[in-house]
């Protein structure tokens, strides 16, 4: 009974951590976009948006990392399930918490800048046009981007995100010093944002994209947020999930699997060192006894 209660308490803590971490990510990330758009680029630019999302991710991992691992992304959680680093029964709880956290983060940004939204849009919340504001919360494709191109974009971007995260947390690799991992993970997103953001703005996270999109649907932008751009909305949901799995498998096959034997060799080496130390101690004790006999 106590063990059952402990498990319940444990998963509840992890759910709350994932919720709060994703909330922090969306508040900083979408908040940086809102400040840029609503100020008509006087208080922001693409670089400040990149910094907002990158630092937001780092802070999100600091908030949740010690409790749940700080996934704040269903694609990362799925990758951890594939690699056996997260129990599969926890996966749906993590995903629900991440979506709710992203939804709440979007609501917080809208509430924070409500007056600015009304001033910018004259009270008309639109998805397209000169005064469009839906893209503050969710991704929409550039005019040149095809459906296939968008899907590949999300697979590649999320694959690189997951692959690099696994490298940072891999104890058998160089890794990052304890406590610095979230900053390193934030730098991954910064690298992706400045190199892979042209097509659709690097969503890379189904919760971060769909959660705020759902918020805009109910907050006044309407169902056009789903139908715009040939029903684009599913691309930043499905693409990252595939990309996360691809990135996890690539890292495991090409890196992690190959230093497993090194870990098994280390205990053997330690045993040999202990045996050598014991032999040295035996030799020293025999030498002492010989000297004592000689002196006698």
């Amino acid at each position: 009974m106590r063990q059952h209660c402990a498990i319940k308490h444990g998963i509840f803590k992890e759910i709350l951590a994932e919720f709060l971490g994703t909330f922090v990510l969306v508040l900083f990330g979408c908040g940086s976009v809102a400040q840029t758009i609503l100020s008509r680029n006087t208080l922001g630019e693409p670089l400040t948006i990149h910094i907002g999302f990158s630092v937001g991710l780092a802070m999100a991992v600091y908030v949740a990392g010690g409790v749940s691992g700080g996934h704040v992304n269903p694609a990362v959680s799925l990758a951890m399930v594939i690699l056996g680093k997260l129990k599969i029964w926890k996966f749906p709880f993590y995903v629900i918490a991440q979506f709710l956290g992203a939804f709440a983060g979007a609501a917080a940004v809208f509430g924070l800048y409500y007056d600015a939204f009304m001033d910018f849009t004259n009270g008309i919340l639109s998805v397209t046009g000169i005064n469009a504001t839906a893209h503050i919360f969710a991704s929409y494709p550039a005019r040149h981007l095809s459906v296939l191109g968008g899907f590949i974009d999300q697979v590649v971007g999320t694959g690189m995100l997951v692959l690099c995260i696994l490298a940072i947390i891999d104890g058998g690799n160089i890794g990052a010093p304890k406590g610095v991992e979230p900053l390193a993970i934030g730098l991954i997103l910064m690298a992706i944002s400045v190199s892979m953001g042209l097509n659709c703005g690097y969503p890379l996270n189904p919760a971060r994209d769909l959660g705020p999109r759902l918020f805009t649907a109910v907050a006044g932008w309407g169902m056009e947020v789903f139908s715009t751009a040939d029903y684009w909305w599913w691309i930043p949901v499905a693409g990252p999930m595939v990309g996360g799995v691809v990135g996890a498998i690539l890292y495991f096959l090409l890196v992690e699997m190959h230093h497993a034997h090194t870990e098994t060799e280390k205990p053997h080496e330690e045993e040999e060192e202990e045996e050598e130390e014991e032999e040295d101690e035996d030799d020293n004790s025999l030498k002492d006894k010989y000297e004592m006999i000689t002196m006698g």
Side-chain angles (χ1 to χ4, degrees), residues 85-102:
K85 300 177 187 293
L86 177 69
K87 294 177 180 178
I88 191 169
W89 67 268
K90 290 185 177 182
F91 177 69
F93 293 104
Y94 272 50
V95 171
I96 291 170
Q98 291 156 3
F99 273 100
L100 291 177

Side-chain angles (χ1 to χ4, degrees), residues 63-122:
V63 167
V67 181
S68 65
H71 300 173
V72 299
N73 185 339
V76 174
S77 296
L78 180 59
M80 296 304 173
V81 169
I82 295 296
L83 295 176
K85 300 177 187 293
L86 177 69
K87 294 177 180 178
I88 191 169
W89 67 268
K90 290 185 177 182
F91 177 69
F93 293 104
Y94 272 50
V95 171
I96 291 170
Q98 291 156 3
F99 273 100
L100 291 177
F103 186 96
V109 171
F110 186 63
L112 180 66
Y113 286 120
Y114 179 79
D115 293 334
F117 271 102
M118 294 302 105
D119 179 67
F120 184 88
T121 64
N122 294 319

Side-chain angles (χ1 to χ4, degrees), residues 29-39 49 109 113 117 136-137:
C30 292
S32 66
V33 183
Q35 179 168 294
T36 300
I37 300 300
L38 299 178
S39 70
I49 294 173
V109 171
Y113 286 120
F117 271 102
I136 288 174
F137 298 97

Side-chain angles (χ1 to χ4, degrees), residues 246-257:
V246 171
I249 292 173
L250 282 176
Y251 187 80
F252 178 77
L253 292 178
L254 301 181
V255 179
E256 189 172 348
M257 185 174 70

Side-chain angles (χ1 to χ4, degrees), residues 2 17 19 56 68 74 93 95 97 118 120 138 157 159 162 171 183 195 214-215 220 238 240 268 283-284 289:
R2 288 181 181 177
F19 171 86
S68 65
F93 293 104
V95 171
M118 294 302 105
F120 184 88
V162 169
L183 294 178
S195 61
L214 285 168
F215 172 77
H268 180 65
D283 291 342
N284 290 332
K289 288 178 181 178

